[in-house]
Amino acid sequence: MEWDDELVAAYADGELHSLIQDRFEEALQRDDALRARVEREKMLRARLGGHFDPVLDEPVPDALRGMLAPRPAADVVSLDAHRRRPDRAWVPTAIAASLVVGLFGGQYLASGGGISTLPAAGGDLAQALDTQLASAPATAGATRIGTTFRDGEGRLCRTFDGADVAGFACRDGRAWRIEMLAPGSGAQASGYQQASSGAMLALQAAQERMAGEPLGEEEERRVRDAGWR
Amino acid sequence: MKAFEAELAGLLPRLRRFGRALARDAADADDLVQTALERALKARAQWAPGTRLDSWMMRIMRNCWIDETRSRTRRARTLAPEEDGLAVGDPAPGPEQAAAMRDVDRAMAALPEQQREVIALVLVEGLAYREAADILDIPMGTLTSRLTRGRQALVQMLEAA
């Protein structure tokens, strides 16, 4: 039987169908020229490998690696600098707000530090995160919960939007860790609280962290009553 | 979705190798990886978690490369073959090794685009025929015939070199 180049190459690549492969291997036993052709294909692969595989061991240029380093999306304020600080209660919202506003002109805090020391939410924010359902009616000036979801690590996270700050926080043990902050909607006189641009940014950042769909109303109630597990 | 970036970062060495096989020098290859990463980060919502990120990325890279070669064709390249070996930034290899490197690069560069991308996916990246055919959106028969023609051309050029 004549073995065309395509079959010889497929054999060298381990891609020959098993039915044909048996016949091919029988032929290989008797046919020196066929063996040489297979060898030639394998040599070509080896030569290409010898040429291109060393790229795998080269250091990846910083320009490429930097594109994938954890960093906030444009206009989202990074809290990375806070991660170096020891655990402490949530910074007063007025300070947080001025920090956020100060940074919002395009300045970001330097990145670095570990996730374990992210600031924990405290006070009113912690209470809203702990107790309030996303479906709760909005009260002027009060923190409002946007959506509840799980991140890739299975942690429960919630977006929030208040007078001073918006953002999202994820459950870490018994605390809510602030993952992202942006300016809030500002104190509003009317009873109807419009979602701030900060809340939109928070939602956008949250979507990138979201694994699957946000929790529905019933599920949200259930996980709240179970202590956010 | 930090996992997305982490998984992409883990793929970088392979993407750079794939880029090197498609493009003719290291600088072009890294530019290609960068363009593809930008596109991937924008299109991340289109990647279905749980599916192969490497295949998805290689498809993006290959499409970026097609865009790039089209615009290059328009600019009509004038680089003389003698200048190929002058690529900066390469570690200085011995003369024989340098010749061999140029041979493979030159032979790859001389292949028609459609054969080079098949060779890059199957022989350099080690993908199965089926995976490569899926990335390129071509039937298996087309893949195997391009692969065979590409191989024959490479062997011929490398033996003649």
Side-chain angles (χ1 to χ4, degrees):
Chain A
M1 165 163 184
E2 268 304 300
W3 297 95
D4 71 15
D5 288 344
E6 211 166 294
L7 288 176
V8 174
Y11 177 76
D13 290 341
E15 292 271 357
L16 213 52
H17 192 279
S18 59
L19 284 177
I20 309 173
Q21 180 158 334
D22 290 348
R23 291 178 59 190
F24 191 93
E25 282 175 345
E26 268 172 44
L28 269 185
Q29 302 286 328
R30 312 181 293 265
D31 189 339
D32 291 345
L34 188 58
R35 270 204 301 280
R37 286 166 69 195
V38 170
E39 274 317 300
R40 197 168 72 151
E41 299 301 345
K42 288 186 174 170
M43 295 249 311
L44 176 63
R45 187 189 273 263
R47 181 147 185 205
L48 292 175
H51 182 69
F52 291 109
D53 288 352
V55 178
L56 297 177
D57 298 322
E58 289 176 10
V60 173
D62 290 344
L64 294 179
R65 208 166 269 298
M67 292 176 72
L68 302 172
R71 58 165 184 180
D75 290 334
V76 174
V77 175
S78 167
L79 278 179
D80 283 348
H82 278 271
R83 296 176 188 190
R84 294 201 194 93
R85 297 186 187 175
D87 258 9
R88 60 178 192 157
W90 170 238
V91 283
T93 49
I95 298 174
S98 63
L99 171 79
V100 164
V101 171
L103 289 167
F104 209 58
Q107 283 272 145
Y108 302 119
L109 294 171
S111 68
I115 261 164
S116 59
T117 53
L118 274 174
D124 293 343
L125 179 59
Q127 197 183 354
L129 289 168
D130 267 340
T131 60
Q132 208 168 300
L133 294 175
S135 55
T139 317
T143 300
R144 170 183 193 169
I145 300 296
T147 181
T148 304
F149 63 94
R150 283 188 192 275
D151 71 3
E153 290 156 31
R155 296 185 304 169
L156 282 159
C157 304
R158 313 191 82 193
T159 65
F160 56 85
D161 184 18
D164 296 323
V165 287
F168 77 93
C170 295
R171 190 71 174 177
D172 178 16
R174 290 183 174 183
W176 290 100
R177 300 279 160 203
I178 309 288
E179 299 285 332
M180 178 259 164
L181 267 190
S185 51
Q188 288 183 5
S190 80
Y192 176 72
Q193 192 180 15
Q194 213 171 10
S196 64
S197 64
M200 290 298 150
L201 288 173
L203 197 58
Q204 200 181 323
Q207 266 168 358
E208 301 204 339
R209 291 277 293 274
M210 205 175 286
E213 295 293 309
L215 269 59
E217 199 177 331
E218 266 178 46
E219 208 183 348
E220 187 188 42
R221 189 184 300 275
R222 194 178 53 73
V223 292
R224 178 192 66 175
D225 296 345
W228 301 107
R229 266 182 259 271
Chain B
M1 278 235 304
K2 279 180 188 155
F4 181 80
E5 274 91 355
E7 205 178 334
L8 265 187
L11 286 176
L12 283 176
R14 275 185 66 200
L15 297 179
R16 292 185 72 230
R17 178 177 63 180
F18 182 48
R20 210 71 71 89
L22 288 181
R24 56 195 287 154
D25 65 46
D28 278 359
D30 280 343
D31 284 351
L32 172 61
V33 174
Q34 183 168 351
T35 309
L37 280 182
E38 280 163 11
R39 206 178 277 190
L41 289 170
K42 273 186 208 149
R44 62 192 298 160
Q46 288 163 27
W47 177 62
T51 61
R52 297 263 307 255
L53 187 61
D54 57 350
S55 304
W56 188 74
M57 262 321 290
M58 283 176 194
R59 181 194 285 260
I60 291 177
M61 263 183 77
R62 179 261 181 174
N63 291 339
C64 288
W65 180 244
I66 288 176
D67 294 347
E68 170 64 18
T69 48
R70 278 186 192 143
S71 61
R72 273 182 199 209
T73 309
R74 280 196 295 274
R75 289 198 300 267
R77 300 180 60 190
T78 52
L79 189 68
E82 283 75 16
E83 290 170 50
D84 288 1
L86 298 177
V88 285
D90 284 341
E96 261 178 47
Q97 206 186 344
M101 282 169 67
R102 274 207 303 279
D103 290 345
V104 174
D105 283 335
R106 216 175 264 185
M108 284 292 280
L111 287 181
E113 198 61 56
Q114 290 182 334
Q115 293 173 22
R116 180 169 50 239
E117 62 190 16
V118 167
I119 297 278
L121 287 171
V122 175
L123 293 190
V124 178
E125 284 308 313
L127 295 190
Y129 287 7
R130 180 76 266 162
E131 293 164 349
D134 286 348
I135 287 174
L136 299 172
D137 255 335
I138 54 175
M140 280 285 267
T142 308
L143 177 102
T144 51
S145 72
R146 284 181 189 171
L147 187 59
T148 304
R149 277 181 283 134
R151 276 180 135 122
Q152 286 164 344
L154 277 181
V155 167
Q156 232 167 32
M157 285 187 277
L158 291 173
E159 279 174 359

